[in-house]
Amino acid sequence: MKNKKIISILLSITIIIFFPRLSISKENKNYFFNYGENEIFLDDFTQICLTPGKNETMLNFSWYSKFSDGVSKIKICEKGGKEIIYQGKSVSMGNGFISNKVTVENLKANTTYIYSYECDGRWSKPLEYETKDFQNYSFIFMADPQIGASSKKKKSYEEGIKKDANNWDKVIRKSLNKSYDPSFIVCGGDETNTKEENYNKSKVDISNLEYSGFLSPSYLRHMPIANAIGNHDKDNENFYNHFNMPNITNLGKTVAGSDYYFTYGNTLYLFINTNNLDICEHKKFVDETVEENKNIKWKIAVFHHDIYGGGRHKDDEDIKILRNNLPSILEDNNIDLALCGHDHIYSRTYPIKDKKIMDFEVETLTNSKDKVDVIKDSKGITYITGSSSTGSKFYKETKDKSKYIRKIYCEEIPTYTVVKVRENLIEIVTYETNKNKPIDNKIIIQK
């Protein structure tokens, strides 16, 4: 990032030390404690964030501190096993904080790990992280938490941020209870509301509070989250500094970051920064990444701007550019599913290819009246737009609904989507948070 002093870059350096248990390590005697499991505090700017690594055997960590000795440190071990200290980079951001990033490697499936991170000269309390199955797994998709957007309806920024952070905590809890041990969360962008401007101290402070609110749910100490860059994020260096994105490229770049990807089991996840409208760069990213991972079966694209959504943005100029150019790139690379945000209204398209609606089947579940949309041989791409996951902002449905939309849900109730990935199918169910009931048919993509 510009005008940032790199204190140290020490990637993938490991030091192996044996301790019977991490929790009684001598270094750990003066660890600091985080706040209560179910409370939201906005004055803790040092909360750690877990992000999927380059592949399922790796995990990325990032956190803020006020001081650094030049090296970021994570120590991790299986219970009763060898403790490994991983070292990474520390970057001074010029706003009173240091961004720390570390990558952990060689993780095994279905294993419980204990980790701790060093912050301002002290080790955190030991925290638990459990890997899941690497082949048959699930993840949660949510969009537009936009922490801080409720502030317009409150007496202060703090009140609005705290409301949104509490709702963010609730939707994560409900989604985790419904999804049966997901491997990670995917967020479709607009994680926070305010652009950080270095020359405007007020906005810097508000942005820091919003990120503190976004990271405040205790579940995020144990659950990785992969974030798309939204239009409210694109010019904010806090996004780049708070999240340790894997396989980040120089394509599709804005201040917040650029196109990046990771693999998990038999699935390739491509995060496209659609705030950058250089279509050639996005094509290069998708083409090259798919070619490098050509033996992976499933391909899921994630980007913020919904090109087939049902809300107010569908006729925006940037959406038109993306809608005219991006689908052919995705189709040429046999993308199976696209996950988006931006319109704050849930919608799902028919499977689309060459601007045509492709065939699918509607089946009834055995011993149930519930309907299932079955897309066989992965014909066409299904585009899903997440609604607001916190209720911080909703938009209305437009009168002239796109012919490509199969289902739209515009109740002002937050939603989340559970995606299960198996060897021969992807299963998708979307829920509203009030009654925790489905708002759409189950979708099954087969190939």
Side-chain angles (χ1 to χ4, degrees), residues 242-409:
H242 266 299
F243 305 130
N244 190 356
M245 295 164 280
N247 294 310
I248 194 163
T249 70
N250 289 319
L251 302 170
K253 200 168 187 178
T254 61
V255 171
S258 55
D259 297 346
Y260 73 94
Y261 73 94
F262 65 89
T263 61
Y264 192 97
N266 60 352
T267 314
L268 171 64
Y269 294 85
L270 301 108
F271 284 71
I272 303 170
N273 182 8
T274 47
N275 298 282
N276 185 319
L277 295 177
D278 190 328
I279 300 300
C280 292
E281 289 198 0
H282 295 317
K283 175 175 171 53
K284 180 178 174 64
F285 165 69
V286 176
D287 289 350
E288 291 182 353
T289 303
V290 169
E291 177 61 25
E292 289 172 9
N293 298 275
K294 58 186 176 183
N295 294 324
I296 289 184
K297 183 169 188 174
W298 298 107
K299 303 173 188 67
I300 297 176
V302 185
F303 49 92
H304 180 64
H305 298 79
D306 56 332
I307 53 182
Y308 293 112
R312 60 186 282 185
H313 290 300
K314 73 182 188 67
D315 291 323
D316 292 353
E317 286 304 313
D318 56 347
I319 298 298
K320 290 179 180 179
I321 292 170
L322 293 166
R323 186 163 55 235
N324 289 332
N325 293 278
L326 197 55
S328 61
I329 297 171
L330 302 180
E331 291 167 11
D332 289 346
N333 285 281
N334 298 312
I335 301 300
D336 301 290
L337 175 66
L339 303 174
C340 313
H342 197 45
D343 253 334
H344 298 247
I345 296 174
Y346 172 83
S347 66
R348 170 175 63 91
T349 69
Y350 295 96
I352 303 170
K353 187 174 183 179
D354 294 329
K355 298 182 180 180
K356 298 176 182 177
I357 296 173
M358 306 302 290
D359 293 335
F360 67 100
E361 298 177 7
V362 179
E363 300 179 359
T364 302
L365 292 175
T366 305
N367 300 321
S368 172
K369 295 182 180 179
D370 294 339
K371 302 293 185 181
V372 182
D373 286 11
V374 180
I375 303 165
K376 296 185 177 180
D377 299 320
S378 197
K379 293 179 179 177
I381 299 173
T382 298
Y383 295 80
I384 292 178
T385 299
S387 179
S388 167
S389 55
T390 62
S392 63
K393 183 196 292 185
F394 290 105
Y395 293 145
K396 302 294 183 183
E397 177 185 1
T398 58
K399 294 181 180 180
D400 51 338
K401 186 178 77 171
S402 168
K403 67 178 182 179
Y404 296 113
I405 293 180
R406 163 73 168 150
K407 172 68 178 181
I408 193 164
Y409 177 83

Side-chain angles (χ1 to χ4, degrees), residues 145-167 192-194 210 388 390-394:
Q146 208 164 330
I147 306 299
S150 290
S151 298
K152 292 181 179 180
K153 302 175 184 178
K154 295 294 182 179
K155 294 180 181 179
S156 67
Y157 283 109
E158 289 80 3
E159 283 187 40
I161 294 168
K162 192 162 187 176
K163 176 188 176 183
D164 295 340
N166 271 294
N167 287 337
T192 64
N193 188 60
T194 301
E210 289 174 354
S388 167
T390 62
S392 63
K393 183 196 292 185
F394 290 105

